[in-house]
Amino acid sequence: FHENANITKDTKETNAMFATCLLCEGGGGGASSGDKDATIAATAGDIKEKLPAAYDMEQAAISYPVLWEQSMNTVLCQELARFNNLTNAMKKSLVEVEKAVRGIVVMSGPLEALGDSLVYGAIPAMWKAKSYPSFKPLAGYVTDLLERLNFLNEWLCEKPPSTYWISAFFFQHAFMTASKQNYSRAETIPIDAIGLQFEMLPSSSYAKPPALGVYVYGFFFEGARWDKKQKKILESEPKVLFTTAPLMWFQPKRTVQIRHPPSYLCPVYKTGDRRGILATTGHSTNFILDIYVPSDVPEAHWVQRGVAMLSQLDD
C-alpha cells in the first residue's frame, strides 16, 4: 500500500474517537449552562445573518422557462427550490432555538439537539434531513453552502456559466441527464443511445462554453493525482491525501461512437464516505458516476490503491 494509506487510516480512527467522545458528553448544567446558552445564541445569530434571502422562484421561472431545447433551465429551477427548502428550514430552526434559549418557547428535544450541534460544531440532524450529503464540520458546511448559493445566484441573475461547478448541485444526475437530453433533442437521437465522452482539459477556466456538452470542475482525487504535463494519473505525493482534479469536458455522443484511451474507470462520490442508499429514482445518494481517466498502468493497480474522485472534502 501507499504510505498515505496509514495517514488515512489514522485520521479515520481519530475522527471516530472524537465522535465517540462527543456522544459521551453530558448535557451539562450549573454554572456552565449560561456559557452554553450564550454560545448557542451567538452561533445561531451568526449563521442566520449570513444566510441570504430565498430565491425568487417566480422570477426564475420567467428568466429560465421550460424549453424543449434547453433542459438546463429545469435543472436550475429544481436546484433553487431544493436550496430554498434547506435555507428556510435552517432559518426557522435558528429562530426557534434562539427563542428557546431566551425562555420564550419550550426547549424541545429536537431544539436541544440543534443547540448541542451548534456548540460542538456539527451539522444538526434536522438540517441533514433537508440537506445534500456532507461530513464537514459546521463552519465548513456553512461556508460551502454559501458558496453553492452564490454560484446558483450568479447563474440566476446573470447567465448560465461557461464552466459548471458540479459539486454545487443537490442532484448531479439531473445535470448530467440534461446535458445528454439537450444533445438528444438537437440530434433526434434516443437518450438511451447516448453516453458521455470524458476529456481532461489543460486550462482551469474557459470564457465560452463548448458547442457540445459541458465543462465541469469541482472534483478531487483521493489516492492519486493528475499530472497536466503527462496527461495521466500518477501516484500521490507523500502526505498529500487529496488533489484537485482537472477541468473536464463531458461530451455527449452516441454510445457506439465513444472510444476511450487506456484508462482507469474512476468512481466519483459526493463524499468521502463512499457509500449511499439507493433512492427511489434508482440512483445512489452518494455515487455519482464513473469517469475514464487516462492511465498507463493496469486498472488493478489503481483499484488496489482505492483511487476515487470526490465532489467535496470533509473539512
Side-chain angles (χ1 to χ4, degrees):
F1 290 103
H2 194 277
E3 59 183 293
N4 287 353
N6 286 328
I7 300 177
T8 301
K9 174 185 71 68
D10 294 341
T11 300
K12 290 184 176 180
E13 289 179 351
T14 302
N15 290 338
M17 181 189 69
F18 284 136
T20 303
C21 291
L22 287 178
L23 290 175
C24 297
E25 184 75 18
S32 63
S33 61
D35 295 337
K36 180 178 179 180
D37 289 348
T39 301
I40 293 173
T43 305
D46 181 59
I47 296 175
K48 189 176 63 173
E49 184 180 348
K50 290 179 179 178
L51 291 175
Y55 295 115
D56 186 343
M57 296 306 300
E58 183 177 352
Q59 182 60 44
I62 295 173
S63 301
Y64 296 91
V66 177
L67 297 175
W68 171 263
E69 66 275 9
Q70 184 50 270
S71 299
M72 285 296 177
N73 289 2
T74 303
V75 173
L76 173 62
C77 292
Q78 290 176 346
E79 287 294 319
L80 296 179
R82 293 188 182 103
F83 277 100
N84 275 353
N85 189 33
L86 170 60
T87 55
N88 288 339
M90 292 175 65
K91 292 172 185 176
K92 181 180 178 181
S93 63
L94 291 171
V95 170
E96 290 297 313
V97 79
E98 284 180 324
K99 290 181 179 179
V101 167
R102 296 199 301 266
I104 299 175
V105 299
V106 176
M107 178 69 81
S108 62
L111 288 180
E112 185 176 3
L114 170 61
D116 289 341
S117 296
L118 296 180
V119 171
Y120 299 141
I123 305 173
M126 63 172 61
W127 296 358
K128 287 183 178 180
K130 306 284 186 181
S131 176
Y132 50 86
S134 179
F135 289 94
K136 293 179 179 290
L138 182 60
Y141 174 79
V142 172
T143 300
D144 177 66
L145 173 61
L146 295 177
E147 290 175 353
R148 294 176 187 234
L149 295 174
N150 183 61
F151 169 78
L152 293 174
N153 188 62
E154 289 182 356
W155 182 356
L156 173 63
C157 298
E158 298 176 11
K159 62 179 181 178
S162 57
T163 58
Y164 289 90
W165 181 27
I166 194 169
S167 307
F169 296 100
F170 253 86
F171 193 48
Q172 286 90 351
H173 301 92
F175 168 76
M176 294 182 293
T177 300
S179 173
K180 293 191 291 185
Q181 195 167 52
N182 286 345
Y183 177 72
S184 170
R185 291 173 174 175
E187 301 296 328
T188 320
I189 303 172
I191 193 170
D192 292 341
I194 296 174
L196 291 174
Q197 175 89 51
F198 307 104
E199 182 177 341
M200 310 295 159
L201 301 174
S203 179
S204 58
S205 63
Y206 290 87
K208 296 182 179 180
L212 179 66
V214 290
Y215 294 146
V216 302
Y217 66 95
F219 290 141
F220 300 90
F221 275 111
E222 181 180 19
R225 62 185 174 91
W226 176 255
D227 188 283
K228 285 189 175 183
K229 291 184 179 180
Q230 301 186 47
K231 297 181 180 180
K232 62 182 180 181
I233 53 172
L234 300 176
E235 294 285 355
S236 298
E237 295 179 344
K239 299 181 181 180
V240 180
L241 303 182
F242 304 97
T243 56
T244 303
L247 187 75
M248 302 179 193
W249 182 13
F250 285 11
Q251 182 179 1
K253 285 185 177 181
R254 288 179 181 268
T255 306
V256 295
Q257 296 177 340
I258 296 177
R259 297 290 182 270
H260 298 290
S263 305
Y264 165 58
L265 188 58
C266 184
V268 183
Y269 300 94
K270 295 182 181 180
T271 69
D273 198 35
R274 298 200 188 189
R275 61 178 177 176
I277 301 172
L278 192 64
T280 55
T281 58
H283 299 96
S284 169
T285 55
N286 198 5
F287 176 76
I288 300 177
L289 81 163
D290 291 314
I291 293 180
Y292 285 90
V293 183
S295 170
D296 61 355
V297 298
E299 192 172 42
H301 174 83
W302 302 116
V303 172
Q304 186 181 30
R305 289 284 192 265
V307 175
M309 277 191 271
L310 310 175
S311 69
Q312 60 175 308
L313 303 181
D314 295 345
D315 54 11

